[in-house]
Amino acid sequence: LGASHYARGFHATGTIGTFGAAAAAASLLGLDAERSAHALGLAAAQAAGLKSMFGTMAKPLHAGKAAMNGLMAAQLAARGFTADTEAIEGFQGFAWTQADDAAAIAAVRTDGGFAIEQTLFKYHAACYLTHATIEAIRELRRLHAIDLDALESLEIFVPPGHLSVCDIPDPRTGLNLKFSIRQLALLALDGFDSAALNLYTDEAALNPRATSARIRVRVTPSDRVQPYAAAVTLKTRDGRTLTAASDVGVPSTDPAAQWSRLCEKARAITAPSLGMSGSDRLVAWVEGLANSPTVNSLM
């Protein structure tokens, strides 16, 4: 679909995610090529998601609906339900209606490794475009042992497109907070755990220390910053100028460190419901997934 699909305002998790779910379900159901094509056609008829929903409950609904609709598409196709088998690339199909610059591309080559090996993971429970800023702030905290009390000013350099996605200047709710790069930067600087779901509350959005400091934060668009990157320049009250940069568009090259970060996030999310022992059991089960004959014990 090219970049125009997202630029128009479509949320790819909801739209493209529906095709991914349909393809996965068709594979798991063992559908042949014809019925798989019908499943993708049925997915095209249901794929939806709008960036205008960011900061509301509807945004995560996109992910759930993509999974639900993709599964339903495959189940219907398995029972003989039909659709246009050229619904993605055909005239008045999905690409034709949803993108300006859609073009046929070659099939993914797997002789150099599977594409899934390049998957990017969300270590923070906020909009992915805020993650590079959070990572850069975490690096400053680690290297210089500073917190919000040290802040004189902060400038965040991001790609121009970030401003229309995750730059809510005055977040009022926990859902707004997920798309407020300024507030998240300040909370990260103050040591809050951005992986934990319980951070994203109305109280955190209105956190008085961060809110009062926002006047000293500037978000600057820059064409020189990579699509998933950010650079920060922080001036301290004692006269230092500290800089850091991060690019979360680059897959991790350290699987052990990545696993540690994912476990940290998993425990932050699941422990409040399962308890720490239950969370640890869940992590251990996933770690042993490759050697487990069934998923019954997980269920």
Side-chain angles (χ1 to χ4, degrees):
L1 294 176
S4 68
H5 180 68
Y6 192 77
R8 277 190 181 191
F10 293 105
H11 182 206
T13 297
T15 56
I16 298 172
T18 305
F19 294 102
S27 177
L28 290 170
L29 291 172
L31 302 192
D32 60 20
E34 181 181 2
R35 292 197 175 188
S36 295
H38 285 299
L40 292 172
L42 291 166
Q46 303 177 85
L50 300 171
K51 283 162 63 180
S52 66
M53 300 299 172
F54 288 4
T56 75
M57 292 180 181
K59 193 263 188 177
L61 177 65
H62 292 165
K65 284 288 286 181
M68 171 184 160
N69 292 343
L71 173 59
M72 184 170 72
Q75 289 176 322
L76 287 171
R79 296 173 63 181
F81 210 95
T82 63
D84 177 11
T85 56
E86 295 184 356
I88 297 175
E89 71 277 15
F91 175 65
Q92 294 190 335
F94 191 81
W96 193 91
T97 59
Q98 309 298 315
D100 298 331
D101 52 1
I105 60 171
V108 174
R109 295 174 60 96
T110 58
D111 52 359
F114 288 100
I116 197 170
E117 295 173 359
Q118 301 300 306
T119 294
L120 302 173
F121 293 95
K122 296 183 74 169
Y123 300 128
H124 311 284
C127 172
Y128 196 72
L129 298 186
T130 68
H131 288 205
T133 297
I134 294 172
E135 290 292 302
I137 294 292
R138 283 167 57 101
E139 183 70 0
L140 289 183
R141 277 180 53 87
R142 185 184 70 81
L143 291 175
H144 304 286
I146 58 172
D147 60 18
L148 194 54
D149 291 328
L151 177 67
E152 176 63 29
S153 68
L154 174 65
E155 187 166 15
I156 305 169
F157 298 91
V158 296
H162 282 38
L163 273 61
S164 63
V165 177
C166 59
D167 190 30
I168 295 178
D170 184 25
R172 312 301 296 176
T173 69
L175 290 169
N176 287 168
L177 177 58
K178 289 174 178 281
F179 297 88
S180 179
I181 200 166
R182 304 161 194 257
Q183 189 80 350
L184 286 169
L186 293 169
L187 291 173
L189 182 60
D190 224 16
F192 284 85
D193 181 5
S194 50
L197 294 181
N198 59 13
L199 171 64
Y200 300 92
T201 63
D202 297 354
E203 291 74 18
L206 300 172
N207 178 282
R209 276 171 58 83
T211 300
S212 63
R214 279 208 307 263
I215 194 173
R216 289 177 274 143
V217 178
R218 181 167 62 182
V219 178
T220 301
S222 172
D223 291 324
R224 293 183 294 178
V225 180
Q226 293 299 307
Y228 294 103
V232 300
T233 298
L234 187 151
K235 294 184 178 180
T236 65
R237 293 183 183 275
D238 60 10
R240 290 176 292 164
T241 297
L242 311 177
T243 62
S246 175
D247 187 348
V248 296
V250 179
S252 174
T253 56
D254 186 342
Q258 177 177 271
W259 175 250
S260 178
R261 292 288 302 275
L262 291 173
C263 290
E264 179 184 331
K265 180 184 178 186
R267 290 186 174 96
I269 291 172
T270 60
S273 297
L274 302 178
M276 188 54 71
S277 62
S279 182
D280 286 342
R281 288 199 304 275
L282 176 63
V283 168
W285 192 94
V286 173
E287 189 170 23
L289 174 63
N291 299 315
S292 179
T294 75
V295 296
N296 290 341
S297 59
L298 173 64
M299 297 299 108

